[in-house]
Amino acid sequence: MTRIYKFIWLAVLFGLAGTAVAQPSPAVSEKDYLDEVPVVLSVSRLPQRLDETPGAVTIIDRQMIRMSGARDAADLLRLVPGFRVSNSFEANTPQGSYHTSQNDYSNHMQILVDGRSVYSVYLRGGTGPGLQAVALEDIERIEVHRGSNSAAYGARAFLGTINIVTRDPVDTMGTHAQAALGDNGIQDTLVRLGWGDDQARFRLSADGRADDGLRGDSGGARVQRVNLRADLRTSDQDMVELRTGQSVIEAGVGFAGQDGNAPRSRQLDTAFIQLDWKRSLGVDQDLALQVSHTAESIRDRFPYAPAPALTIDFGGRATNENISLQHTLRATPTLRLVWGGELRRETIVSRPLYDTDSAFVTDFTRLFSNAEWRLHPDLLLNAGALYERSSIGGEHTSPRVMLNWQVTDGHTLRYGLTQAFRPPSTFEKFANVRYYLGGTLADSTDVARGNVSSEKVQTRELGYLAELPGKVASLDVRVFEERITDFVKRPSYSLPGSGNNNEAFDYVNGEDFDIHGYEYQLKWKPWQDGQLIYGQAWVDSTQSVGTGRVGLYGSQSFMFMQHLPQGFDFSLMYYQADASHFPGADEAAPAFSRTDVRLARAMRLGGRRAELSLVVQNLGTSYQDFMPSFRFHQQAYVMLRLEN
Amino acid sequence: MPLSAFLRPGLPLLLFLAFAAGVVRANEAAVLVVSSERSPAYLEAAEAVASELGRLTTETRRQVLQLTAADLPAYRGAAPRLYVALGAEACSLLGRTPAPAPVLCALLPRASFERVLRESGRRAGASLSALYLNQPLGRQLDLMRMALPQARRVGVLWGADAQASEAMLEAAAQARGLKVVGVPVKPDEPVFNGLKKILDESDLLLALADPQIYNSSSIQNILLASFRAQVPMLAFSPAYVRAGALMAVYSTPAQIGQQAGLIARGVLQGQPLGVPQYPLQFEVSVNEHVARSLGLKLDAGNLAERLRRQERGP
């Protein structure tokens, strides 16, 4: 931790030194009218419109983030149709999962922060820690692509992508401080500094999120983060962006009375550095190079009560290195192309999980190309594919075709087919968890035999997007059929000599099932300064759980936001989900609902802009979250925010 | 120094002929076009002045002589009947002290011309007048209303010496039922803070040329921030549209040259130089990719035509 802090402070000093250059201010002349200026909104900077994207996309913008009263990004995923969210830190950190219900790690979605893949290599590709990578206040928007997106982002985008875009440093200049205090030990703080000029801009954020956790779990959860971003314009064509940061998540996990899973504090420490170089090659094409390095370190150990000499340990380290290059090109006025490649290496070292001190290295090579081809003014074809070769899952190609037909102004129909693969994680392939007592093997839990290959999903979907003029209302419908084959299961098998009951768990491709259903989201501004967002999903899954099937279940989310006179803001959130199951844990997930309200007032305090807000989460009775004994009780907090 | 010194290789043949004509008939120059520098925009304007004058008689075309401001001190020919100064530098040079003939400054923004007046202590009139390069504010607001009928609030970043424009814009906006959200930007102050307010409170960002606010390094942040906020920019040059502004209304150097040529014709025919004018001819440029991203369907040609028709009146 010390090392990376040192680096950040060096970067800060460098940044401060770099801003002290004064500029002459010339008078206006004809040159201002006649001279060329560099291309800014080049082809890759202009995002696809929602009626042009190859799939359904939900965008959670800053206003929604702010007015939701959410304390982390996972909480916000409730607003995305088809998602189920847990606030528990038990398995890793709060997480959301889409369609597959929830397993311990929610590893069927890709999660990106500013283009960097942040799924946890150590935690089998789980999205939880990635959702905690940046302070909520630094997020510009979260774009959730609902449905397989592997043609663009590779294996992890099996059922979709969560793309977190942080705010541009231009929008976070000056100082900003906020603190929240409330029930259940809620204590959230943030300090942010933004400075710089046109050539170089910086942002340094340090924040913390702390509370006593869910009622019934083993104690509080604390997240501490520091993130630095530097955007440097090195020439009219070149932009270099440097990001570095660290997040430390400490949570009480385990259960009293379970010797093998005793109450303790677990720490996930993730540090990263990311460098992006973006070069504009004119109005119609540009290049983007990204290099990143991430290091995860997990500390999770406790004495085994029946034999205190034995320490049970789930800790270890993982790293990943990435380099990618992407070329975006408007080949003709009707054809836009994105193509590129990526090399990625994941390394895991953990004696407790793999019974060796050797590193497990997985290499990925990816080549991708996507074309956006306007066949006709009303007809857009998105066609693309990603070829991926990994040392753990072999070679796969994930193609996608999606046709968007604008029936009339503001009404678009979408139809598409995709296929995607998820190679097994290192753990699923090589797990070897053994417990020794005084040098002799006492028990083994997960001992993978390596006979596991990639999961596959084939998706058919039909979409409809309506957008009323003036952005008064929009409706997005997705009807889907996701056929999953070779889903990875965890059966037990007899392993003589493995200690205890001579059984162990293996990971095998054990099940094929279908998920189908529909979901939609409505956004409506019924009157001045008011907005209503409603989403609903009906999902029917033939996935087995226990002796039955997951079956049909529904969920819905509602958000209402209203700006009121005299700087007041009011918002209300409601979420409801039917009973279903957490297949990963084979646990019943009972029906529940949750209502949150927020009232805030903008004001001025000592010449600074300020906002005081009150949030009450889960008005009403408590609900079960994740484990049967965990309950989310009503809690309230007050937050004061100051900026200048 | 002989005028042939201007004859450098690489100039277009047409200009070569124009210059050659000047060399031969230097003594008969009726109109001296003095450009701030020799670059394509000035040459294009100068050429348009000459061809417009050429419509008077073929003789007058030959009586148009082109020089650059740097070469003016070396000019030994007889005084012309009119100077056409292209650009702020040429205008400043010719406007500083009363010239032997009237001076028409063109291809320069109004602010540059007013600066020349301020510095020379002179007043615009028959001996010194101008044809501005910038568009009348009303025209820009009319374009905004045509392209974005829903938009009501116009955001403007005001530079250090914009007081005069502020009042003009207020009046023009009021006449059209629009509201101005103006934020002053102090010299050497970053535009971020003011820009934030504008993007929060406006439907459109009206960019008015001011190198202190809009320059090739600041434009990146301004355009990106305006795009993020979905507050499109109405800019002042086609280069800004290529860069990412939604649209611009502007006059090309050829259009300015032609109108300057028309004024020059009047002077040669004995009319006095009138009050400073805004350009009559203009173009509209739209960045179709940006428009598309913002969910707008705009046609530059159609907008320009409707704008011209509206100005011509019923």
Side-chain angles (χ1 to χ4, degrees):
Chain A
M1 191 143 180
T2 340
R3 205 180 45 194
I4 196 144
Y5 273 126
K6 256 188 203 161
F7 176 77
I8 287 175
W9 286 115
L10 268 176
V12 171
L13 290 172
F14 162 75
L16 286 171
T19 58
V21 187
Q23 291 172 347
S25 52
V28 65
S29 77
E30 69 279 8
K31 299 223 182 326
D32 295 298
Y33 293 82
L34 302 173
D35 285 357
E36 282 302 319
V37 289
V39 172
V40 182
L41 297 180
S42 58
V43 57
S44 68
R45 275 185 158 148
L46 287 173
Q48 284 184 310
R49 278 164 31 169
L50 286 179
D51 60 358
E52 295 176 344
T53 53
V57 178
T58 295
I59 292 176
I60 300 171
D61 62 19
R62 271 194 42 71
Q63 190 194 2
M64 289 167 74
I65 294 174
R66 189 165 182 161
M67 291 179 78
S68 68
R71 292 172 57 229
D72 59 37
D75 245 350
L76 290 163
L77 295 176
R78 278 197 187 88
L79 296 168
V80 184
F83 265 80
R84 188 168 185 124
V85 171
S86 166
N87 289 84
S88 171
F89 281 80
E90 189 66 29
N92 54 87
T93 60
Q95 56 187 322
S97 70
Y98 181 66
H99 289 188
T100 49
S101 301
Q102 210 144 26
N103 65 16
D104 283 2
Y105 298 101
S106 296
N107 55 5
H108 290 87
M109 294 287 280
Q110 168 65 293
I111 175 162
L112 303 154
V113 174
D114 290 339
R116 179 176 61 96
S117 170
V118 295
Y119 67 81
S120 167
V121 170
Y122 190 84
L123 298 172
R124 311 183 205 175
T127 51
L131 289 168
Q132 301 289 338
V134 285
L136 208 50
E137 186 52 43
D138 286 350
I139 297 177
E140 175 72 27
R141 65 179 187 282
I142 302 174
E143 300 171 351
V144 181
H145 183 111
R146 294 178 283 125
S148 184
N149 203 9
S150 291
Y153 292 105
R156 294 291 153 189
F158 194 72
L159 285 179
T161 43
I162 302 168
N163 190 7
I164 297 176
V165 180
T166 67
R167 303 184 69 187
D168 191 294
V170 168
D171 295 333
T172 52
M173 299 297 261
T175 54
H176 180 123
Q178 66 185 43
L181 210 62
D183 296 337
N184 195 32
I186 291 176
Q187 227 177 332
D188 298 347
T189 51
L190 170 105
V191 178
R192 179 172 71 201
L193 296 173
W195 70 98
D197 55 21
D198 288 331
Q199 301 304 320
R201 293 177 309 285
F202 304 85
R203 173 174 65 225
L204 179 68
S205 310
D207 81 308
R209 173 205 185 283
D211 58 34
D212 294 340
L214 295 168
R215 207 69 60 89
D217 71 9
S218 288
R222 201 167 62 159
V223 181
Q224 286 176 291
R225 281 175 286 245
V226 59
N227 274 290
L228 174 83
R229 173 166 170 185
D231 285 13
L232 312 168
R233 177 149 315 108
T234 50
S235 84
D236 279 354
Q237 287 80 42
D238 299 287
M239 183 83 192
V240 175
E241 297 171 11
L242 174 78
R243 292 169 178 84
T244 179
Q246 184 171 25
S247 62
V248 180
I249 303 166
E250 254 183 303
V253 297
F255 299 90
Q258 289 190 13
D259 296 333
N261 187 16
R264 65 199 182 269
S265 172
R266 182 188 55 214
Q267 191 188 75
L268 313 177
D269 182 332
T270 311
F272 78 96
I273 183 159
Q274 173 185 353
L275 188 79
D276 289 87
W277 173 42
K278 294 171 183 170
R279 158 152 271 216
S280 160
L281 304 173
V283 180
D284 291 325
Q285 52 178 325
D286 42 35
L287 276 178
L289 175 77
Q290 185 182 88
V291 185
S292 71
H293 170 81
T294 306
E296 294 173 72
S297 160
I298 286 79
R299 205 190 63 217
D300 186 8
R301 50 194 297 167
F302 54 93
Y304 184 61
L310 171 69
T311 297
I312 295 186
D313 191 338
F314 298 115
R317 286 176 291 119
T319 57
N320 69 75
E321 283 86 33
N322 258 68
I323 176 162
S324 69
L325 182 69
Q326 178 171 309
H327 182 209
T328 311
L329 169 72
R330 197 181 284 123
T332 73
T334 55
L335 180 64
R336 181 159 105 152
L337 290 168
V338 182
W339 64 285
E342 180 187 356
L343 296 173
R344 177 179 174 91
R345 167 167 289 187
E346 298 179 353
T347 309
I348 299 185
V349 182
S350 169
R351 173 161 278 281
L353 298 189
Y354 300 98
D355 200 33
T356 169
D357 291 321
S358 317
F360 288 85
V361 177
T362 311
D363 286 312
F364 296 86
T365 307
R366 294 177 183 138
L367 294 170
F368 56 89
S369 177
N370 282 278
E372 179 195 313
W373 184 19
R374 191 162 290 283
L375 304 165
H376 178 269
D378 300 328
L379 216 51
L380 186 78
L381 177 73
N382 277 284
L386 180 138
Y387 161 84
E388 178 172 278
R389 188 179 67 206
S390 70
S391 55
I392 199 163
E395 295 186 21
H396 293 292
T397 302
S398 303
R400 167 171 59 200
V401 281
M402 188 80 60
L403 193 63
N404 293 23
W405 173 36
Q406 193 180 35
V407 185
T408 61
D409 252 8
H411 298 268
T412 304
L413 282 174
R414 199 169 49 218
Y415 181 76
L417 302 168
T418 62
Q419 175 172 296
F421 298 88
R422 183 186 74 89
S425 64
T426 305
F427 190 80
E428 288 161 335
K429 185 98 174 171
F430 301 112
N432 194 3
V433 184
R434 290 165 188 269
Y435 302 97
Y436 294 92
L437 197 53
T440 56
L441 186 63
D443 193 7
S444 307
T445 52
D446 297 59
V447 181
R449 292 183 286 190
N451 297 320
V452 62
S453 59
S454 300
E455 296 174 343
K456 177 174 156 186
V457 62
Q458 285 172 302
T459 308
R460 287 195 298 160
E461 70 173 86
L462 181 66
Y464 165 64
L465 179 74
E467 287 176 307
L468 289 186
K471 295 178 184 158
V472 174
S474 71
L475 174 70
D476 181 8
V477 184
R478 177 175 190 244
V479 183
F480 55 86
E481 188 177 66
E482 289 155 345
R483 167 137 197 84
I484 293 171
T485 44
D486 295 331
F487 188 71
V488 175
K489 307 279 280 183
R490 183 179 177 246
S492 65
Y493 67 103
S494 160
L495 183 62
S498 64
N500 200 7
N501 61 359
N502 286 319
E503 281 197 352
F505 292 102
D506 193 9
Y507 289 86
V508 295
N509 302 98
E511 191 183 0
D512 300 346
F513 58 93
D514 286 315
I515 306 173
H516 63 269
Y518 67 92
E519 58 202 26
Y520 63 91
Q521 179 163 305
L522 174 75
K523 286 191 176 189
W524 182 33
K525 292 178 183 165
W527 47 75
Q528 180 85 18
D529 294 332
Q531 193 178 0
L532 216 144
I533 298 163
Y534 179 75
Q536 190 176 34
W538 283 102
V539 179
D540 193 358
S541 170
T542 61
Q543 186 178 7
S544 66
V545 51
T547 53
R549 302 269 172 199
V550 170
L552 175 72
Y553 62 96
S555 61
Q556 53 184 331
S557 63
F558 170 82
M559 181 172 189
F560 172 66
M561 295 177 273
Q562 177 72 50
H563 296 298
L564 296 164
Q566 295 178 344
F568 279 101
D569 278 343
F570 171 78
S571 45
L572 174 87
M573 273 77 49
Y574 172 77
Y575 181 83
Q576 179 269 328
D578 291 346
S580 77
H581 289 84
F582 298 132
D586 265 9
E587 291 285 354
F592 81 100
S593 67
R594 169 173 162 173
T595 306
D596 296 359
V597 288
R598 177 179 186 268
L599 185 67
R601 189 185 182 188
M603 56 184 91
R604 296 200 74 85
L605 266 185
R608 289 164 207 278
R609 291 204 293 163
E611 187 194 61
L612 187 65
S613 58
L614 168 70
V615 175
V616 184
Q617 293 181 324
N618 191 30
L619 284 170
T621 56
S622 66
Y623 64 86
Q624 181 196 326
D625 188 351
F626 205 62
M627 300 303 283
S629 56
F630 294 176
R631 300 201 75 81
F632 192 103
H633 278 250
Q634 178 176 322
Q635 60 184 30
Y637 70 86
V638 176
M639 179 185 277
L640 178 67
R641 165 199 310 260
L642 278 171
E643 54 190 310
N644 72 343
Chain B
M1 179 179 153
L3 283 170
S4 56
F6 302 126
L7 297 174
R8 306 228 172 98
L11 284 178
L13 180 65
L14 194 68
L15 282 165
F16 172 79
L17 293 173
F19 277 111
V23 172
V24 175
R25 297 172 179 268
N27 291 342
E28 299 167 25
V31 175
L32 203 54
V33 179
V34 182
S35 296
S36 292
E37 61 184 62
R38 185 177 300 135
S39 62
Y42 301 94
L43 295 174
E44 204 183 316
E47 199 41 40
V49 173
S51 65
E52 186 59 35
L53 282 165
R55 293 169 65 169
L56 207 57
T57 63
T58 43
E59 183 67 6
T60 39
R61 165 150 198 143
R62 286 202 295 275
Q63 291 174 348
V64 179
L65 181 60
Q66 300 182 32
L67 296 179
T68 61
D71 295 319
L72 186 65
Y75 176 68
R76 295 287 174 267
R81 288 167 62 195
L82 175 73
Y83 289 96
V84 176
L86 296 179
E89 193 192 331
C91 179
S92 166
L93 187 70
L94 284 162
R96 200 179 293 153
T97 53
V103 175
L104 171 67
C105 293
L107 204 68
L108 83 174
R110 178 176 176 146
S112 302
F113 181 65
E114 284 172 352
R115 192 188 183 95
V116 170
L117 294 182
R118 241 184 355 261
E119 284 172 3
S120 64
R122 298 177 64 186
R123 300 181 67 168
S127 66
L128 177 63
S129 190
L131 166 60
Y132 303 138
L133 178 58
N134 56 312
Q135 305 297 308
L137 292 164
R139 181 177 293 159
Q140 298 177 66
L141 297 182
D142 287 339
L143 173 62
M144 166 184 163
R145 284 207 309 177
M146 277 177 192
L148 307 165
Q150 315 275 343
R152 282 283 166 272
R153 303 166 301 170
V154 193
V156 184
L157 290 164
W158 292 117
D161 39 29
Q163 288 88 348
S165 316
E166 275 187 68
M168 281 191 290
L169 184 69
E170 281 289 353
Q174 207 168 22
R176 289 165 179 80
L178 302 173
K179 182 175 169 262
V180 177
V181 180
V183 173
V185 178
K186 293 189 200 82
D188 297 327
E189 183 198 40
V191 298
F192 313 125
N193 301 335
L195 186 64
K196 204 172 174 182
K197 179 178 158 68
I198 285 187
L199 297 179
D200 282 348
E201 297 174 16
S202 316
D203 304 314
L204 174 126
L205 171 61
L206 174 63
L208 300 176
D210 182 339
Q212 185 209 319
I213 299 172
Y214 298 100
N215 54 57
S216 60
S217 44
S218 72
I219 190 61
Q220 302 254 4
N221 295 327
I222 297 176
L223 276 176
L224 285 173
S226 103
F227 187 75
R228 270 198 302 280
Q230 306 265 296
V231 177
M233 179 192 282
L234 170 54
F236 47 83
S237 84
Y240 276 78
V241 174
R242 269 193 300 283
L246 174 63
M247 55 185 174
V249 52
Y250 62 95
S251 300
T252 64
Q255 288 172 329
I256 294 289
Q258 199 207 349
Q259 192 177 340
L262 215 63
I263 299 170
R265 262 168 66 178
V267 172
L268 294 190
Q269 286 171 329
Q271 293 165 18
L273 211 47
V275 293
Q277 297 180 17
Y278 281 104
L280 292 170
Q281 293 179 57
F282 54 83
E283 301 293 335
V284 170
S285 169
V286 168
N287 186 320
E288 281 169 24
H289 306 299
V290 171
R292 190 165 184 89
S293 267
L294 294 170
L296 300 167
K297 274 185 187 158
L298 300 178
D299 182 274
N302 178 271
L303 285 169
E305 198 39 56
R306 280 167 62 198
L307 208 48
R308 288 183 197 119
R309 212 179 309 137
Q310 179 176 312
E311 291 194 3
R312 276 200 301 270

